[in-house]
Structure formats: structure tokens, C-alpha cells
């Protein structure tokens, strides 16, 4: 049999899936390793998707998505970020991951370097490698509160650097990048003529701090704008299985975007698009309920960690806690979470799933039932 392409053979195992699948095969395990919203979908969202099937509206849609859905995404972005974004800049994608692949496909040539956060979501590196690019990790250090430090990033830029990935609110950290730092990141990209891909999966969930998109500081002049914004409804409305999101592009790229979208996925399934339209334009009770639930879970789990003396990052957004288990992991957190699952029946995501700086840390998902969350966190070994 012929060999697979070298860049495919080099794609690493996703350690989040590794521990989660082990937990799914462990009877009565408490699974706190994956970010899966647990609320039932709103009835009007389900009805909209099923109505599309009932009327047999199952043909191709435009490459960029249903016009009404593009406008709904644009309206939400305008309202939240106070930007003059029209629907012509919004491309409906098959979930945030396809949006990230779409953006990187547009921007990266073989051998180009892409700056990704460490700790950061694993597919930033995986997708870059699949496109023959070179992921370069920029550090998010505990002593900086896991905030980007401009000098650290600038020191990594070379003539091969083409893209800077920004993620706020952060998965896995729950950190929200401060407004002044967001502005400085855009200024850095301008100085070095870099593109920015901003992953804003968790934009709906921040606690007492604003979510500020890099697009707010971007130029609106074609040829000078440089920010691509990746949005999704997976987390905001619990639509993880419907695979629906949007990529907001700089002005002037419409023809190219259509051509590349045709080559990657052609268009997104119409029932998912109609469900998404209902989610964006209908009642927003789900979002408010989810935000309150995640905040309550964050506060309750934080109290348990504090009582155990376990250091953690106080989450300002998303629905994760980032906790330091270096006192027991013996320098191999990946092995420790597997051992802890076997011994205690609880699964956490190992910090090394998100980069080398994650060694010794775990990510705790806050999106399930509070009873299960507190039961799982209470089994963690205290720091003496």
C-alpha cells in the first residue's frame, strides 16, 4: 500500500479525545474532559431545522450561506463589537473548525509559519500542519496571568511568519484578553504585515469583563484589513452536532472566499442553517440560562479547589477552569489523568493537550451538572 503523506503522519494525537474516549469506556465515569453543553435545545430551533426537511428544502444553498443567516450573524457582530460589518463579509461554515481550516487555507503556503498560543486549542497546530505550514507556539505564562505578552510574540516573528492566531475567551484557560492587549496585538500584526485569525468560539460567555474582538481595531480599507474572525453557534446555543458557524473576512475578498468555499465544502446543510437562523433571531433565554449555569459552576468548583489548596486560574470566560496538579503529576500530566481516571473514575483534560506550558495542569469542563462537577473535583488530591 502507498504511504500516507508525511504531513498527515505527523499530526499528533488529540489528548482531549484520548482521555474522553477512555472515560466513555469506563463504567460510571464522571467526564469533565470535554466541553459539551448539556441543556436541551430550544424548541423553536429544533422546529426550524425540521421544518426545512418537511418542506424538502434540501438543495444546494449559496456557497456563502443563506442571505438571511449571513445578515443575522452580521447583526450580532455589529451589536456586540460596535462595527459596521455587512453580510457580504460573513461566510457560513460547517462549524468553527471548518472556519479555521478555511481561513488557514486562504492565508498559508507550504513552509509558512503560524503563531499559535501555548496553551491553546490543539487543532490550531493540527490544522496548520495539514496545510504544510509550521506552527510556532507563543507562550502564555502563569506569571503573566496567561495573557499574551507582546515582547514574547514579537521575538518569535521571522520572515516566514504569516499568521497570528488569537483566542479569547480562551479554551483551555478561561482567560479573556484585555482590551489594551488586543489593540497591541493588532498593532503588532500591522508592524510585521501579518494576518490575524481570531477564534471567538466562547464570545457569549464572559463574567464581569468585556469580550473585545481584534476586528474592532482592524482597518476597514480593502487591502489593509487583516483580521479573520471565527464564530460558532456550537457553544453559544449548544448546537455542537449541527456544525454551524461563520467566518467574518476582511473586505474585498468575496470572490476568492466563494471559490475556496466551493473547493472545501461547497455549502453548509440547509437544515442546520435554518436552525441557526432561528437561534440567532429568536428568544435568547438559552444563552442567559447557560451563562448563569457556567458561572455558578465556576464559583462552586473554585471553592472546592481553594479548600484543597490547588492553584487555578480564575476563569473570566468560556466554561473551563485551569488547575495546577503539578504536586501529584510527577512531570507527566498525560499519564496522571489516565491513572486518575482508572483509580477515581473522573476524567480531566491534560494540560499538555494544549501545549508544553500545560505540563502539570488540567482543564476542568464546567458545562455539565453541578453535582457531577463537584463530585469529580472533590476527588482531586489536595496540595499539602
Amino acid at each position: 500500500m502507498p504511504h500516507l503523506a508525511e504531513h498527515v503522519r505527523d499530526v499528533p494525537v488529540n489528548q482531549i479525545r484520548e482521555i474522553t474516549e477512555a472515560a466513555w469506556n469506563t463504567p460510571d465515569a464522571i467526564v469533565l474532559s470535554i466541553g459539551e453543553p448539556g441543556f436541551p435545545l430550544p424548541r423553536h430551533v429544533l422546529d426550524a431545522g425540521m421544518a426545512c426537511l418537511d418542506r424538502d428544502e434540501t438543495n444546494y444553498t449559496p456557497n456563502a450561506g443563506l442571505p438571511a443567516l449571513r445578515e443575522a450573524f452580521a447583526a450580532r457582530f455589529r451589536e456586540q463589537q460596535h462595527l459596521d460589518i455587512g453580510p457580504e463579509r460573513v461566510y457560513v461554515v460547517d462549524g468553527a473548525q471548518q472556519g479555521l481550516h478555511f481561513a488557514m487555507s486562504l492565508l498559508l503556503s507550504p513552509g509558512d509559519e503560524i503563531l499559535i498560543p501555548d496553551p491553546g486549542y490543539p487543532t490550531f497546530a493540527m490544522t496548520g500542519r495539514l496545510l504544510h505550514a509550521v506552527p510556532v507556539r507563543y507562550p502564555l505564562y502563569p506569571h503573566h496571568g496567561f495573557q499574551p505578552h507582546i515582547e514574547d510574540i514579537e521575538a518569535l516573528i521571522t520572515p516566514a511568519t504569516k499568521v497570528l492566531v488569537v483566542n479569547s475567551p480562551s479554551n483551555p484557560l478561561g482567560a479573556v484578553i484585555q482590551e489594551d492587549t488586543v489593540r497591541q496585538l493588532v498593532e503588532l500584526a500591522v508592524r510585521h504585515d501579518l494576518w490575524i485569525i481570531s477564534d471567538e468560539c466562547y464570545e457569549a460567555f464572559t463574567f464581569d469583563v468585556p469580550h473585545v474582538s481584534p476586528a474592532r481595531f482592524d482597518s476597514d480599507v480593502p487591502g489593509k484589513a487583516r483580521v479573520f474572525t471565527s464564530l460558532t453557534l456550537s457553544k453559544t446555543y449548544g448546537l455542537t452536532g449541527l456544525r454551524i458557524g461563520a467566518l467574518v473576512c476582511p473586505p474585498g475578498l468575496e470572490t476568492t472566499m466563494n471559490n475556496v468555499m466551493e473547493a472545501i465544502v461547497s455549502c453548509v446543510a440547509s437544515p442546520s442553517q435554518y436552525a441557526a437562523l432561528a437561534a440567532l433571531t429568536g428568544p435568547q433565554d438559552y444563552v442567559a440560562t447557560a451563562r448563569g449555569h457556567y458561572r455558578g459552576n465556576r464559583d462552586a468548583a473554585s471553592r472546592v479547589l481553594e479548600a484543597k489548596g490547588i492553584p487555578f486560574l480564575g476563569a473570566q470566560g468560556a466554561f473551563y477552569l485551569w488547575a495546577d496538579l503539578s504536586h501529584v503529576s510527577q512531570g507527566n500530566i498525560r499519564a496522571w489523568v489516565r491513572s486518575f481516571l482508572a483509580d477515581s473514575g473522573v476524567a480531566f483534560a491534560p494540560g499538555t493537550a494544549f501545549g508544553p506550558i500545560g505540563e502539570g495542569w488540567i482543564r476542568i469542563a464546567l458545562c455539565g451538572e453541578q453535582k457531577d462537577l463537584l463530585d469529580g473535583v472533590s476527588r482531586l488530591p489536595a496540595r499539602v
Side-chain angles (χ1 to χ4, degrees), residues 370-384:
Q370 188 171 117
K371 177 180 179 297
D372 292 337
L373 171 66
L374 297 183
D375 188 359
V377 173
S378 69
R379 300 183 195 182
L380 287 170
R383 181 183 291 259
V384 179

Side-chain angles (χ1 to χ4, degrees), residues 31-49:
V31 183
L32 303 177
S33 55
I34 195 166
E36 179 74 58
F39 299 103
L41 291 184
R43 187 72 241 173
H44 68 281
V45 175
L46 294 170
D47 288 343

Side-chain angles (χ1 to χ4, degrees), residues 93-98 232 234 239-245 268 272:
V93 293
D94 197 15
Q97 183 53 45
Q98 193 251 312
T232 182
S234 291
L239 305 183
T240 51
L242 291 188
R243 311 308 307 137
I244 194 81
V268 176
S272 294

Side-chain angles (χ1 to χ4, degrees), residues 121-181:
Y121 195 63
T123 63
F124 297 153
M126 295 166 72
T127 306
R129 288 194 181 102
L130 283 173
L131 294 167
H132 303 271
V134 180
V136 176
R137 299 180 185 274
Y138 64 85
L140 304 176
Y141 289 125
H143 58 271
H144 289 150
F146 292 99
Q147 291 280 321
H149 202 236
I150 301 302
E151 291 80 359
D152 291 336
I153 300 174
E154 196 152 25
L156 297 170
I157 295 173
T158 74
T161 308
K162 296 296 185 293
V163 177
L164 170 64
V165 175
V166 177
N167 176 213
S168 179
S170 166
N171 177 10
L173 302 170
V176 176
I177 302 178
Q178 299 163 1
E179 180 174 351
D180 188 55
T181 302

Side-chain angles (χ1 to χ4, degrees), residues 116-298:
I116 62 173
D118 174 13
Y121 195 63
T123 63
F124 297 153
M126 295 166 72
T127 306
R129 288 194 181 102
L130 283 173
L131 294 167
H132 303 271
V134 180
V136 176
R137 299 180 185 274
Y138 64 85
L140 304 176
Y141 289 125
H143 58 271
H144 289 150
F146 292 99
Q147 291 280 321
H149 202 236
I150 301 302
E151 291 80 359
D152 291 336
I153 300 174
E154 196 152 25
L156 297 170
I157 295 173
T158 74
T161 308
K162 296 296 185 293
V163 177
L164 170 64
V165 175
V166 177
N167 176 213
S168 179
S170 166
N171 177 10
L173 302 170
V176 176
I177 302 178
Q178 299 163 1
E179 180 174 351
D180 188 55
T181 302
V182 174
R183 181 187 293 105
Q184 291 178 47
L185 289 168
V186 177
E187 292 170 351
L188 174 71
V190 172
R191 281 200 304 277
H192 294 277
D193 199 23
L194 306 180
W195 296 100
I196 290 179
I197 298 175
S198 180
D199 177 3
E200 302 179 20
C201 280
Y202 297 91
E203 46 82 23
F205 304 121
T206 62
F207 312 113
D208 303 321
V209 294
H211 162 62
V212 179
S213 172
R216 192 180 295 186
F217 306 107
D218 197 20
S219 172
D220 58 2
V221 178
K224 292 189 176 182
R226 63 190 64 248
V227 176
F228 285 80
T229 306
S230 177
L231 304 171
T232 182
L233 303 189
S234 291
K235 311 300 182 180
T236 308
Y237 298 97
L239 305 183
T240 51
L242 291 188
R243 311 308 307 137
I244 194 81
L247 186 66
V248 182
C249 72
L253 299 180
E254 291 80 10
T255 299
T256 301
M257 296 281 285
N258 276 328
N259 292 342
V260 176
M261 186 69 171
E262 174 68 24
I264 292 178
V265 73
S266 184
C267 62
V268 176
S270 49
S272 294
Q273 293 195 59
Y274 278 104
L277 180 61
L280 285 168
T281 60
Q284 299 299 298
D285 308 57
Y286 179 98
V287 182
T289 299
R291 186 185 297 112
H293 178 76
Y294 302 149
R295 182 172 192 149
N297 277 3
R298 178 201 66 170

